[in-house]
Amino acid sequence: MRIKLAALALMAGTAMPLAALADSTVKFWYHFDNPENPMADLVAKFQAANPGIRIDAQNVPWNSYYDNLYTAIVGGNAPDAAMLKMFALPRLLEMEALAPLDEQIAGWAGKDEILPNLFDLTRAGDGKQYYLPVQYVALYLYYRADMFAELGLEPPTSCEALREAAIKLTRDTNGDGRIDTYGFGFRGGKSGHEHWGAFTLGREGVALDDSLNSDAGVAGTQYVVDLFRTDKVFPPSAPNDGFQEIIGAFKTGVTAMTIHHIGSSNDLVAALGDKVSATIVPECGGGRWTTFGDESTGVFANASDKEAAWKWISFLSSPENNAQFNSATGQLPVTKTDSANWTAHEKRFIDATQNSLPFAQLLPPSSATPEFVNTVWPTNMQRALNGEITAAEMNANIAGL
C-alpha cells in the first residue's frame, strides 16, 4: 500500500489563543453505547472548576458518527471538539478541519501522565500532534488456559509454537468422529486484517507496501493459508467469520485461541472464569505486530474558543477524570495513575495489553486504508483461504493499492 502523506505536511492548522474567553460554550461530540454514561457527571465537575465555560456534550450514534461529522464540517457546523480515531486524520487534515495541539501539550502539566508511546502512535504524518489520547486498546492472543493445561501446552511465543499448539488443540473431544475444537479462531471477515497482520506484518522487512511481495511477506500470508487449508486448525466457517463468530466460538469451546482486545475480556470471564487467559501475539519471522486500537480527542480549527476546548479535552485525559470517562467504554485509561489503579478489567488482560504497546501499530494514514480494511483485504483473504488465488497474488493485490 503506497502511503500518500504529502498532503499532511501542508496542513499546519490554526494556532490557539493563550486564554479562554469569558462565558464560552464548547460543543463536544462523543459516542458512548453504554447506558451507564458518565458524561453528565464529568461535565458538571469540569464546569464547577471552570465557571466561565459551558460544555454542550452531544452523544452521536457510532454508526453515523463520521458521516455526520464530515457533513457538519462541510456545512460550517462542526463541533468545537470531538472524539476521533486515527483513520479519520488524513481526511480531517485534507479538510483543514483540525487545530494543532503541540504548544498546548508542551505546556500541559499532565503530559507526563500519558502512557509511553501513545503520543508517538497518534502523531500525524507531518510531525504535528492534532490528537490527545483519551483511551486505547491493543490486540493480544486469548487462549483457553484449561485446554492448554489439559494437554501440557505453554502459551505460544512464536508462529511455529502457535501452529504446533493449534494442531494439538484441534481434536475430537467426544469420540463421535468429528472435530469439536479447533486450535485457532480466525477472523476472515471485515477487520480480520488484524489477525493476518499479527502473522505477516511483524516479519522482518514487511509492511503494508511493496514489501508484501517479498519472500517474507508472502510467507506470512502462506502461513495463514496453510493453517486453514493444510493444518485445518481454523473452523470451516473462518473465511466469513467476524467478531461475533470468533468470540462466540471461543466462549463455547469451539476454538482454543483467537485474537482480540480487552474490550472482550469481561464477557469472556463471565462465561469462562479462569479458563480464559491472555498473552502477547507470537513472534513471527523476526518480530511482532499488533493493532493499536485508538480513540483520541481533538480541537477543530473553526472552534470559537480553542483554549476552552483544549481545557475540556485535557480534563478528560487527566487522572481520575480519564478513569471515569473509560468506565463507560470498555477500553483502558491513558494515564499512568489511572492505569495503576484500574480495576474494571482483570490484571492478566491489562498486562497483555500494556505488554503489547512496544510493538503495537496503526494502519497507514492513507486514503487507501478504508478500502484495504473494508474491501481489498477481506475479499482477497477469503479467496486465498478458499484456494482461488495464491498467497503471492493476494499480497500483490494489497500492495497495488
Side-chain angles (χ1 to χ4, degrees):
M1 184 183 293
R2 297 180 179 88
I3 306 172
K4 300 176 182 178
L5 296 177
L8 303 187
L10 301 176
M11 308 301 177
T14 304
M16 295 188 188
L18 295 176
L21 303 174
D23 300 322
S24 295
T25 295
V26 175
K27 183 167 69 172
F28 176 68
W29 282 18
Y30 69 104
H31 53 85
F32 280 177
D33 295 326
N34 192 330
E36 298 179 6
N37 189 333
M39 191 58 68
D41 291 339
L42 286 166
V43 168
K45 180 180 178 181
F46 176 84
Q47 290 181 163
N50 298 273
I53 304 174
R54 176 180 174 271
I55 304 299
D56 177 14
Q58 301 179 15
N59 193 1
V60 179
W62 169 247
N63 287 342
S64 58
Y65 189 81
Y66 282 96
D67 289 339
N68 289 335
L69 180 61
Y70 298 142
T71 299
I73 292 169
V74 171
N77 192 35
D80 299 298
M83 288 176 65
L84 300 167
K85 286 184 175 291
M86 282 299 292
F87 75 76
L89 183 57
R91 184 169 182 181
L92 292 172
L93 291 181
E94 288 171 5
M95 300 173 82
E96 301 186 45
L98 295 173
L101 302 176
D102 301 84
E103 291 185 10
Q104 285 65 36
I105 292 171
W108 180 38
K111 68 179 182 296
D112 292 335
E113 268 282 348
I114 303 299
L115 291 169
N117 206 32
L118 295 190
F119 280 128
D120 292 337
L121 284 165
T122 55
R123 187 170 292 118
D126 64 359
K128 294 182 181 294
Q129 198 79 40
Y130 297 91
Y131 282 8
L132 181 63
V134 72
Q135 61 186 35
Y136 80 99
V137 293
L139 272 67
Y140 51 68
L141 182 73
Y142 279 109
Y143 66 94
R144 285 290 298 264
D146 56 331
M147 296 182 185
F148 273 70
E150 178 189 352
L151 298 180
L153 300 173
E154 294 294 326
T157 58
S158 67
C159 263
E160 294 77 13
L162 184 142
R163 176 178 178 267
E164 292 172 6
I167 290 172
K168 292 177 181 178
L169 289 158
T170 301
R171 53 197 174 129
D172 171 13
T173 60
N174 60 11
D176 66 356
R178 295 181 296 182
I179 298 297
D180 306 300
T181 299
Y182 293 87
F184 189 89
F186 184 78
R187 186 173 182 172
K190 191 179 294 185
S191 294
H193 65 277
E194 296 168 332
H195 288 203
W196 167 83
F199 303 131
T200 303
L201 298 179
R203 294 173 186 263
E204 189 171 350
V206 178
L208 279 173
D209 54 26
D210 287 340
S211 63
L212 281 175
N213 294 320
S214 67
D215 290 345
V218 174
T221 298
Q222 190 64 55
Y223 172 84
V224 174
V225 172
D226 288 345
L227 287 177
F228 182 62
R229 297 186 60 80
T230 303
D231 301 323
K232 301 186 185 304
V233 300
F234 299 168
S237 59
N240 298 303
D241 281 351
F243 168 73
Q244 296 294 340
E245 289 77 19
I246 64 165
I247 296 301
F250 186 82
K251 285 166 64 175
T252 57
V254 173
T255 59
M257 291 182 281
T258 195
I259 291 174
H260 202 242
H261 57 65
I262 200 166
S264 300
S265 66
N266 288 344
D267 185 40
L268 292 175
V269 169
L272 298 170
D274 291 339
K275 294 177 182 178
V276 56
S277 194
T279 188
I280 59 175
V281 298
E283 176 272 321
C284 298
R288 286 184 168 89
W289 184 96
T290 196
T291 299
F292 173 73
D294 70 293
E295 192 82 64
S296 298
T297 54
V299 174
F300 285 85
N302 70 333
S304 59
D305 189 343
K306 295 181 179 66
E307 188 61 23
W310 161 255
K311 282 188 174 183
W312 167 242
I313 67 169
S314 60
F315 168 88
L316 295 177
S317 292
S318 298
E320 187 179 319
N321 307 322
N322 192 239
Q324 188 174 358
F325 180 94
N326 282 293
S327 67
T329 67
Q331 300 197 24
L332 290 175
V334 298
T335 70
K336 296 173 184 175
T337 297
D338 290 333
S339 297
N341 299 322
W342 189 248
T343 59
H345 301 93
E346 296 198 8
K347 186 177 185 300
R348 61 192 183 276
F349 307 113
I350 298 172
D351 289 345
T353 302
Q354 294 182 345
N355 291 339
S356 298
L357 283 180
F359 50 87
Q361 298 290 330
L362 288 156
L363 294 179
S366 162
S367 58
T369 294
E371 185 180 0
F372 164 75
V373 170
N374 295 322
T375 306
V376 174
W377 184 87
T379 298
N380 282 277
M381 188 77 260
Q382 288 161 1
R383 294 185 68 199
L385 291 175
N386 289 328
E388 298 169 13
I389 59 173
T390 66
E393 288 170 330
M394 171 178 166
N395 283 20
N397 291 338
I398 295 172
L401 275 176

